[in-house]
Amino acid sequence: MKIYTRTGDQGLTSLIGGTRVSKGSLRIEAYGTVDELNSHVGLLRDQDINAPRRLLLKELQDRLFTIGSALAADPEKSRMKLPDLHEADVKLLEDEMDRMNEELPELRAFILPGGHPAVSMAHVARCVCRRAERLAIHLREESFVADLVVMYLNRLSDYLFVLSRYMAHELGVEEVTWKARV
């Protein structure tokens, strides 16, 4: 199978359902950002510190593919059966955050990203997740996007923040709080 088709050489691509759209469209930007997030989560998963969480991070990547396929489909023309999210997927993130938060000190200030490469990678993934969420919300203003997609991205960004704190805690890395210059 050839990877290149030459059908996108004029700046158009096909959605699931066959609709041709500009590669610069908001829908393409939304699912492209979810794809970027998936790559960041993969990089995070590959860090030694994440060995105990590899299966969970892989599951999160699977959910991101689910979201990507939902965003890549023309909501009016696609007849393809796509995987879907479940409320249990959001609950899993909440349960994991609750479990990690039991061991973390109370958060009393904004935290500057950093301290260890894996911690920083979690923060980068969190920021990309927030961008994906904003794009999905923007897309929802003009076309159908399931509420659960936005909810999951929102919760995933929270999870990535808590995970960054938890990894710093495991590593004994000091969290540097932001102190506003006055």
Side-chain angles (χ1 to χ4, degrees):
M1 175 180 148
K2 288 186 178 183
I3 295 297
Y4 63 90
T5 62
R6 297 188 176 119
T7 60
D9 291 350
Q10 301 304 311
L12 298 176
T13 191
S14 293
L15 298 176
I16 298 172
T19 305
R20 300 286 289 170
V21 297
S22 167
K23 289 183 178 184
S25 77
L26 182 56
R27 183 167 293 282
I28 304 304
E29 186 68 25
Y31 79 71
T33 302
V34 169
D35 187 37
E36 179 185 352
L37 171 59
N38 205 330
S39 295
H40 282 291
V41 173
L43 182 60
L44 181 60
R45 189 187 80 218
D46 290 341
Q47 303 308 301
D48 287 339
I49 183 69
N50 280 313
R53 285 175 284 280
R54 270 202 187 102
L55 286 176
L56 176 60
L57 290 169
K58 185 178 176 186
E59 184 174 338
L60 301 182
Q61 287 185 283
D62 183 83
R63 296 302 93 76
L64 289 172
F65 253 88
T66 297
I67 290 170
S69 66
L71 295 174
D74 182 333
E76 296 179 19
K77 292 189 179 178
S78 177
R79 302 289 178 245
M80 183 182 286
K81 174 68 177 142
L82 298 172
D84 55 358
L85 289 174
H86 302 280
E87 289 186 18
D89 298 321
V90 174
K91 178 83 167 89
L92 173 66
L93 294 172
E94 293 172 346
D95 290 346
E96 285 297 311
M97 283 186 283
D98 291 344
R99 185 188 57 73
M100 289 186 287
N101 269 325
E102 288 177 6
E103 296 182 41
L104 292 173
E106 185 179 343
L107 186 61
R108 297 176 182 266
F110 290 107
I111 295 172
L112 299 178
H116 185 276
V119 173
S120 296
M121 286 177 201
H123 279 289
V124 170
R126 171 187 56 81
C127 292
V128 174
C129 190
R130 286 284 189 215
R131 180 165 28 101
E133 178 189 8
R134 291 189 304 270
L135 288 165
I137 290 167
H138 191 172
L139 179 61
R140 185 172 64 182
E141 293 168 359
E142 65 182 47
S143 183
F144 176 78
V145 173
D147 290 342
L148 204 50
V149 165
V150 174
M151 185 185 306
Y152 187 84
L153 291 171
N154 180 282
R155 214 66 89 252
L156 179 58
S157 63
D158 293 338
Y159 168 81
L160 291 166
F161 175 73
V162 175
L163 178 61
S164 71
R165 293 193 69 219
Y166 193 73
M167 290 188 304
H169 176 73
E170 288 178 324
L171 291 163
V173 174
E174 178 187 358
E175 288 184 320
V176 178
T177 56
W178 176 64
K179 293 177 178 50
R181 186 172 52 182
V182 285

